């Protein structure tokens, strides 16, 4: 096997694994996707005691087959890619590695193989695999909206945490250990359960004063939930408004003009009438 | 009965069943609506053991009367419509059939007659029946907003599912079967119960670490709920902005006039009457 | 006492009761407000067994004093107003009557006097009493937004009810009476508890299939909650946008021009530069 | 030590404590921040019985060290600031005092030292300390949006409270003490738990009528949650629209240019560099 044929062999494998333009490449991607989904279902079933008791051996064998397949895929990806280190330390490189290692570790340490559930992250490949440009665009829009509201969300979460610590301490003092508020961290946990309107009911105020404060916390939480919603919505609205006008300047091709723009805001040339 | 009289008889029945312009047609529609509501209430009452024990026979007879009425209506609809196959395979055609079949099946298979609750779908006819054009418009607006945000919502739900699998596995490892997290699917169920802020409390974290992670999940869920809201709101806002007024000025072609505008706000020329 | 002095006496009382411009009128209003709040607190305390056991007589006397005061006020309002029938059948007229009657009825029928809690509705007077024009404006804005989205909200609630009936029946068939889903109405109740993310946990799915369907219901509910929020928000945004531009036309005084309007949309005259 | 050197010593300390421009000042601020976080964690751990039993003495000593440090800091702040009374009665002045006093009080009154959790409020300093101008801007934006919607929110909460009192009384009459609704205040508590979609499940309707009313309350709560969200969102949208770009064209005075506009979209003239 001369260098050239090896190079072409690498090139072909690269095409199959990393691209989805050829028929073989597309088939590989779709098979991979189903194997990922199958592997996640297997891990889940394995954790169900009644199911595991019956089919332990079959599940174990299937697990090992998938782990070896994933390992081979991982090695192949390193071999055929041009810059292996870039792949290895990329998000998907790390996820691909973590998808196989726990199973091998389970030979030495029992139990840790459940960490293979990290394989769920491999599902994110679906967006890349199926070249769902459209969906990527939507995901980007959402990501951009979240990005733009990052600072507001940080300020918001920080305020919620401080508020929870204060309210949690008050509830600890009011209700006390005899009504289930056994410590401040537990009271803070209760406060967050209440503020976020989750309300498990594993801890609930029992004294009249506690219930009164709880009422205030709930109404607060009701109002507070409006804040992240408001942030994300106003950001999404702003983004969708911007991208509303798709008119391009005939001179400089710049976009995003105001709806009533007559002249281009970049080069000052007259825009075409729409 | 000659062909013509039969045709006219079919025509009259068509008018009664499918239209609501004549008085008889309107009466038919309103009676039908009440029979549908009555039939749903009957199915519900039948499922209440204490009620069924007392009035089993009466309920059964009423059920059969309604089933036969619906069957006759279904047959009549097929007979008088011009393209029966189109009706049979339309949404309402299938719903109409499913509203009667389970009761007949219950003669052979016990229990299945509860499926007649599918009759609730017949209630959707109310919009068509009462010719609530106004409401249809609103429903269309909502549907359009949901349609437009379909891709964003898919990306969102997909991300939530992946996140839930990861978080569920972590909680399974942290809390373990001894605190109610008996398997990964059950932990994933708990994660979704928490992320969506439903919070039954049938499973709740008991260890300090579990409660800490639960806290993070809740705050995450609090933020995540903002996303679908943001998507739908920005879409509804965009649609309501668009549909505000699409009248163009006959002189300068400017749009976005106020609803009660008589003159163009750009060039001052009179707008056409709409 | 001649007719004139009686008329002036009625006039003065009218001023005290219905207006808040004079010092006496204002004092009357504020005293009334506090008596209303006091009366609600009394009813609440009376319903607490431990409290009622101790102070039953005092509470009863206080209740009767307030009821007589309210009755006198009601009679006075009828006497001094110009069109008594209009007041009697107005919203506040009915509320004022219902605030006193249950206590009298309790002489004949025990227990019914708790209905005096309808007095809480009298609190709505606070808006009128304190002439909180500003707050009235805000309340009007909210009411207007809710008014405008009335049809959308109706369509929405109607769809939620139909969806709940369908899902409730499915859960009844899947979980069955042995897991707490004892009847269809109860299952529908569970569905609404879950869809609205309230999640009491008094009924919770126990089978794997039930939990899977519950998961779908929750994610649905998560998405559905976005709809009313989106409706109200887009309506409020639209209203606040409208009222943003307060520029009045110098010729016809019409308002609500578009932000970039150069000519009045009503009379076609040129607007002043801002 | 002459007056001048003392003045300069005060000046230097002022720079360290109140400013963050110098290296020493910045270090002081960051150390302070970590001490605050440490102190909160200590208070929390102290409240956990199992932890306190083991490390009671160490926790107590650490607590006293931090309290003395905070006391010294408080005294230093008063000494070096120009207008001590202004600092003492400022928000942070009061918080700083309340952060130390409870520990001293605990010498006389047991238990009260948990109030030191008020130290969490000192965390708010983080915004000032790190001169996070960017975050302050976001916080201001949120505060401004909440400020602007203050009246609407007041009207909203007031209406929710009145509604809860009415609904709570109805539920008290329908369900009664034998199903956990032991008093009107408790029923009102339940109503708020339900309306806000928290749903602990510590009290849940058991009769069919009660569950039916509960269903109505939940759907109401579902709709009601849309109101604060709508308010905050429309306010945030309005603010972000306003603050988008306030640059006016020097030629035609038109506003609302895009952020990256170089030429006016109305007259095509060059905009001033900002």
């Amino acid at each position: 096997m001369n260098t050239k044929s090896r190079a072409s062999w690498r090139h072909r494998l690269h095409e199959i694994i990393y691209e989805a333009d050829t028929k073989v490449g597309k088939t590989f991607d779709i098979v991979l996707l189903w194997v990922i989904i199958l592997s996640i279902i297997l891990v889940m079933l394995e954790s169900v005691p009644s199911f595991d008791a019956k089919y332990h051996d079959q599940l174990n064998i299937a697990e090992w087959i998938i782990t070896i397949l994933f390992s081979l895929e991982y090695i192949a990806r390193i071999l055929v890619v041009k810059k292996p280190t870039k792949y290895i330390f990329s998000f998907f490189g790390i996820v691909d590695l973590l998808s196989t290692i726990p199973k091998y570790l389970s030979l030495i340490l029992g139990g840790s193989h459940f960490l293979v559930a990290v394989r769920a992250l491999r599902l994110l490949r679906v967006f890349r695999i199926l070249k769902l440009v459209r969906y990527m665009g939507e995901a980007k829009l959402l990501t951009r909206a979240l990005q733009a509201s990052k600072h507001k969300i940080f300020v918001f979460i920080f305020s919620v945490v401080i508020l929870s610590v204060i309210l949690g301490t008050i509830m600890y003092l009011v209700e006390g250990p005899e009504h289930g508020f056994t410590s401040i961290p537990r009271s803070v946990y209760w406060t967050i359960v209440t503020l976020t309107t989750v309300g498990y009911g594993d801890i609930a105020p029992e004294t009249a004063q506690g219930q009164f404060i709880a009422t205030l916390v709930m109404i607060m939480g009701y109002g507070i939930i409006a804040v992240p919603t408001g942030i994300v919505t106003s950001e999404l609205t702003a983004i969708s408004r911007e991208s509303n006008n798709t008119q391009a300047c005939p001179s400089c091709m710049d976009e995003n003009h105001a709806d009533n723009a007559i002249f281009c805001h970049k080069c000052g040339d007259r825009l075409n009438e729409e």
Side-chain angles (χ1 to χ4, degrees), chain A:
Chain A
M1 204 202 269
N2 58 23
T3 327
K4 203 188 161 192
S5 87
R6 225 188 76 192
S8 89
W9 164 82
R10 269 184 64 186
H11 182 76
R12 263 197 59 206
L13 207 57
H14 184 275
E15 217 165 41
I16 293 170
I17 296 178
Y18 284 95
E19 281 161 55
D21 301 328
T22 59
K23 218 191 145 186
V24 190
K26 211 166 186 172
T27 312
F28 171 82
D29 285 341
I30 288 164
V31 168
L32 179 63
L33 187 61
W34 283 108
V35 174
I36 292 171
I37 290 172
L38 183 73
S39 76
I40 293 167
I41 292 170
L42 275 178
V43 175
M44 286 195 162
L45 289 179
E46 214 179 339
S47 78
V48 182
S50 63
F51 198 90
D52 189 48
K54 261 194 209 155
Y55 306 100
H56 185 268
D57 291 341
Q58 291 92 319
L59 282 171
N60 199 29
I61 290 163
E63 260 292 305
W64 274 112
I65 291 169
I66 283 173
T67 304
I68 287 160
L69 281 178
F70 281 177
S71 306
L72 291 177
E73 185 217 341
Y74 182 66
I75 291 162
R77 276 182 191 276
I78 292 174
L79 286 182
V80 301
V81 87
K82 273 176 196 156
K83 296 180 181 169
T85 46
K86 210 185 152 191
Y87 163 70
I88 290 170
F89 295 104
S90 73
F91 173 71
F92 279 116
I94 291 165
V95 166
D96 288 353
L97 184 63
L98 288 177
S99 300
T100 57
I101 282 196
K103 189 67 190 167
Y104 295 115
L105 280 181
S106 73
L107 288 177
I108 315 166
L109 302 127
S112 70
H113 74 282
F114 282 124
L115 284 169
V116 291
V118 87
R119 279 172 190 167
L121 282 176
R122 297 201 78 191
L123 276 175
L124 291 172
R125 255 182 212 284
V126 71
F127 292 119
R128 282 217 332 207
I129 283 175
L130 300 178
K131 295 254 177 211
L132 295 168
V133 185
R134 191 184 265 282
Y135 290 96
M136 280 310 272
E138 302 297 351
K140 244 176 223 159
L141 205 75
L142 285 182
T143 314
R144 202 175 131 200
L146 291 175
Q147 200 76 22
S149 42
K150 202 175 52 185
H151 295 302
K152 285 201 205 75
I153 286 172
F154 176 82
V155 168
F156 169 71
I157 287 179
F158 196 81
S159 313
V160 166
V161 169
I162 292 178
L163 191 68
S164 301
V165 171
I166 308 273
L167 290 171
T169 310
I170 294 173
M171 281 305 280
Y172 173 73
L173 295 173
V174 167
E175 287 277 322
E178 61 275 22
H179 296 113
F181 293 76
T182 49
S183 68
I184 293 182
R186 203 168 150 82
S187 297
V188 172
Y189 162 74
W190 171 87
T191 310
I192 288 174
V193 167
T194 302
L195 262 185
T196 54
T197 78
V198 170
Y200 286 130
D202 51 348
I203 320 169
E206 285 165 34
T207 65
Q209 307 95 289
Q211 291 183 344
F212 181 72
I213 296 171
T215 299
L216 297 183
V217 173
M218 281 172 231
I219 291 177
M220 238 181 254
Y222 212 46
I224 286 173
I225 210 169
V227 176
T229 309
I231 293 169
V232 174
T233 305
S234 85
E235 218 59 63
L236 274 174
T237 309
I239 286 174
S240 82
R241 201 168 25 228
E242 269 175 44
S243 61
N244 236 1
N245 193 314
T246 52
Q247 188 182 15
C249 168
S251 307
C252 72
M253 290 299 140
D254 200 63
E255 291 190 0
N256 290 322
H257 297 104
D259 281 343
N260 60 332
I262 300 168
F263 296 93
C264 171
H265 59 239
K266 199 83 169 222
C267 66
D269 265 12
R270 182 169 269 271
L271 297 170
N272 290 331
E273 304 291 318
E274 268 181 308

